[in-house]
Amino acid sequence: CTDAQESIFPLHEGHVSCHFAPHRFCYTNTRVPRWDDVWTRTQIRVNSSRMIRVTQVESEEELEEFSVWSIVFSFLKEKLNDTSIDVDLYSNQTCLRVELLEARTEYCIILFRRFDPKLFLVFFLGLLLFFCGDVLSRSQLFYYSAGISFGLLASLLVIVYMMSRIMPKKSPVYFLLVGGWSFSLYLLQLIFKNLQEICRSYWRYVLGYLLLVGFISFGVCYRYGPLENERSINLLSWALQLLGLLLMYSGIQIHPVALALVAVAVCTKNLDYPVRWAFAAYRRARSARQGPSPPRLLTEEEYRLQGELETRKALRELRDYCRSPEFSAWTAVSRIQSPKRFAEFVGGACHVTPREVSVHEQEYGLGGVFLEDQLFEEEEEEE
């Protein structure tokens, strides 16, 4: 352990240093990111027996600069005795300042590099959202789950907004609420960092809050119901796919690898469209080269069935037209020979009488006059 006063302490990977006084530390990155660092995270961990305040900056110059905003954010910064700071693989230098709230507080600082399963989970979640966005946007289970989760997270923002509305304008707390959403995001970050301690100490209040807000969120989702409009579903699907791409990109530390995987995912999901276009172009080129194919002739059974279907369809359209307001009933009745039969046909009766059916069978059926004439004509032609 050391308590010597130095300007800036350099940090080295895997080296632990302990101190008893406030100091400033900097890490200079000289390692070029490689392809196997896709889910590797570099972190600076500060561990102390008492509460301390850790402030992160980007360079040594910012450690020396005086800024009013740095003082304001130092008051808003949470006091922690165990904190971790992520280091970007492409950052040249990362610096931090450790301030003690009590004299002679011992703290240790270490920089290490390790495989982070959270990055892999973020990438996998983005992959799932991108490829399953179409299915999730139409799922009622996803709709209610997402609505309840969003309600639980947004309730803190609503509480802060309501406090900002009811607080007096001259209250000192109002200056903290001027930031509105930024302060709310900071509050959410503070809660998530201390979530384990909050759940252990105030589990009754946490359970009551989850039940109350979850029930209200479910009621709001049930009131408006799942999405039914096709355009709204498409918008939700596109939003989920875009969120999935962002999660995939943020879950990989190497930027070229992240861009390549995002491009591969987009091409894979939309691969069926180019394949269809290429197949259609191939079919057109082949048909243009071979010429038009001759039409297929109908069989006797297909011809009979097609005639019956087309006849029924034409009769149905004729009845619908006769029942429509556009049809002039008096003009039609004055021109036809049997108005009663026409009225029965419009009402749904058959368009031919049994006598007409019998005459048709005698003339065109087996053994009919028409068939015999056809047979005699064929015999004469053969002779």
Side-chain angles (χ1 to χ4, degrees), residues 15 49 79 126 142 213 221 294 314 324 358 368:
H15 177 67
S49 58
K79 306 174 183 63
F142 175 78
V213 178
C221 294
S324 65
S358 175

Side-chain angles (χ1 to χ4, degrees), residues 107-124:
Y107 64 92
C108 297
I109 183 169
I110 182 176
L111 184 141
F112 58 91
R113 189 189 307 269
R114 63 181 178 85
F115 169 77
D116 192 356
K118 294 180 182 178
L119 292 176
F120 176 76
L121 291 178
V122 169
F123 172 78
F124 181 76

Side-chain angles (χ1 to χ4, degrees), residues 77-78 156 182-195:
K77 184 67 177 179
E78 65 272 18
L156 295 176
S182 60
F183 181 76
S184 303
L185 292 177
Y186 163 76
L187 184 61
L188 289 176
Q189 179 187 5
L190 182 62
I191 290 176
F192 283 129
K193 283 190 175 182
N194 300 275
L195 185 61

Side-chain angles (χ1 to χ4, degrees), residues 144-382:
Y144 286 106
S145 302
I148 294 174
S149 303
F150 180 78
L152 293 174
L153 295 177
S155 59
L156 295 176
L157 305 181
V158 174
I159 291 174
V160 173
Y161 175 76
M162 294 175 60
M163 290 177 60
S164 65
R165 299 290 295 178
I166 64 176
M167 288 298 297
K169 300 299 181 181
K170 297 182 179 181
S171 173
V173 183
Y174 183 76
F175 292 101
L176 296 178
L177 299 175
V178 169
W181 300 111
S182 60
F183 181 76
S184 303
L185 292 177
Y186 163 76
L187 184 61
L188 289 176
Q189 179 187 5
L190 182 62
I191 290 176
F192 283 129
K193 283 190 175 182
N194 300 275
L195 185 61
Q196 185 176 1
E197 182 65 25
I198 293 174
C199 293
R200 183 170 59 251
S201 302
Y202 308 98
W203 65 271
R204 295 182 181 86
Y205 300 101
V206 172
L207 181 60
Y209 167 78
L210 293 178
L211 292 177
L212 177 62
V213 178
F215 180 77
I216 295 175
S217 302
F218 177 80
V220 173
C221 294
Y222 183 78
R223 166 64 179 81
Y224 291 97
L227 298 178
E228 297 180 355
N229 192 332
E230 192 66 26
R231 293 186 176 181
S232 301
I233 294 176
N234 291 335
L235 288 176
L236 179 59
S237 175
W238 297 337
L240 291 177
Q241 293 178 22
L242 181 59
L243 178 61
L245 291 178
L246 293 177
L247 290 178
M248 289 173 59
Y249 182 82
S250 61
I252 297 178
Q253 295 289 79
I254 310 301
H255 296 166
V257 176
L259 291 175
L261 289 178
V262 168
V264 169
V266 173
C267 294
T268 304
K269 184 175 178 61
N270 300 282
L271 187 62
D272 54 341
Y273 296 106
V275 170
R276 284 188 205 166
W277 296 337
F279 184 68
Y282 170 74
R283 290 184 61 182
R284 286 197 190 118
R286 183 179 178 183
S287 61
R289 186 171 59 251
Q290 294 179 352
S293 57
R296 187 182 69 87
L297 300 179
L298 298 177
T299 62
E300 232 182 277
E301 183 67 18
E302 291 175 344
Y303 176 75
R304 185 182 64 80
L305 291 177
Q306 184 177 358
E308 293 179 358
L309 291 175
E310 293 297 327
T311 302
R312 284 197 292 267
K313 179 181 176 182
L315 292 174
R316 184 170 60 253
E317 292 177 354
L318 179 60
R319 286 192 181 95
D320 295 339
Y321 174 73
C322 294
R323 295 169 183 169
S324 65
E326 301 176 357
F327 178 71
S328 180
W330 293 109
T331 303
V333 168
S334 63
R335 293 180 179 179
I336 59 179
Q337 297 179 355
S338 179
K340 180 181 179 183
R341 182 178 175 185
F342 173 73
E344 293 176 351
F345 166 73
V346 174
C350 184
H351 65 289
V352 292
T353 61
R355 181 174 177 279
E356 292 173 342
V357 173
S358 175
V359 172
H360 182 272
E361 289 293 333
Q362 292 176 4
E363 190 169 345
Y364 296 98
L366 294 176
V369 178
F370 180 79
L371 186 59
E372 290 181 358
D373 293 342
Q374 292 288 100
L375 293 175
F376 290 142
E377 289 178 0
E378 290 179 359
E379 291 177 358
E380 291 175 357
E381 288 178 358
E382 291 177 357

